[in-house]
Amino acid sequence: MEEREGGQPTDWIQQAQNLQRKIKEAQEELAHREVVAQSGGGMVEVKANGRMEIVSIRIEPEILRGGDVAFIQDLITSGVNEALRRSQQMAAEELAKVAGGMALGARFPGA
């Protein structure tokens, strides 16, 4: 095994570069994958992609007629938080597969 200055074998560097490439590919794929979360029994539906970006929010018109702004805000907040949690979980699972169990840190999207 050839070694570079500093005692690091060249295959370690190559493995690190391959891992970096695979992580980047996984992040690009995650941008196209979506999770869905609902709140209020489906009155609010939020979609997020694997980069923890909100893609869409659907609100049932009937809850808008009630005029309870605080209730509507709570449903939206709850749906968004759940969608982001699911997105983060999906990203963590995918990147863990790529990394083979190596600790990559908590910052996945767009890293």
Side-chain angles (χ1 to χ4, degrees):
M1 190 180 327
E2 182 182 340
E3 297 208 356
R4 291 192 173 196
E5 191 173 314
Q8 290 193 1
T10 56
D11 62 329
W12 288 1
I13 295 169
Q14 195 170 35
Q15 287 175 0
Q17 289 171 339
N18 287 338
L19 178 59
Q20 188 176 26
R21 179 184 49 76
K22 288 178 183 179
I23 289 171
K24 183 177 172 109
E25 289 171 0
Q27 288 172 332
E28 290 170 2
E29 180 184 325
L30 284 166
H32 302 289
R33 293 184 56 195
E34 293 182 352
V35 294
V36 177
Q38 296 180 340
S39 62
M43 289 191 284
V44 172
E45 181 180 278
V46 180
K47 290 183 182 179
N49 66 22
R51 294 182 123 177
M52 295 187 352
E53 299 168 334
I54 301 302
V55 176
S56 68
I57 298 176
R58 182 190 54 77
I59 301 171
E60 286 293 327
E62 63 200 46
I63 67 169
L64 299 174
R65 290 187 201 108
D68 187 348
V69 174
F71 176 67
I72 295 167
Q73 289 172 333
D74 287 345
L75 290 178
I76 293 169
T77 300
S78 177
V80 167
N81 286 335
E82 180 62 18
L84 292 175
R85 186 192 65 74
R86 290 179 183 188
S87 172
Q88 186 175 30
Q89 181 178 355
M90 177 178 62
E93 289 171 0
E94 284 303 309
L95 292 172
K97 289 177 193 175
V98 169
M102 291 175 57
L104 296 176
R107 190 173 168 260
F108 295 117

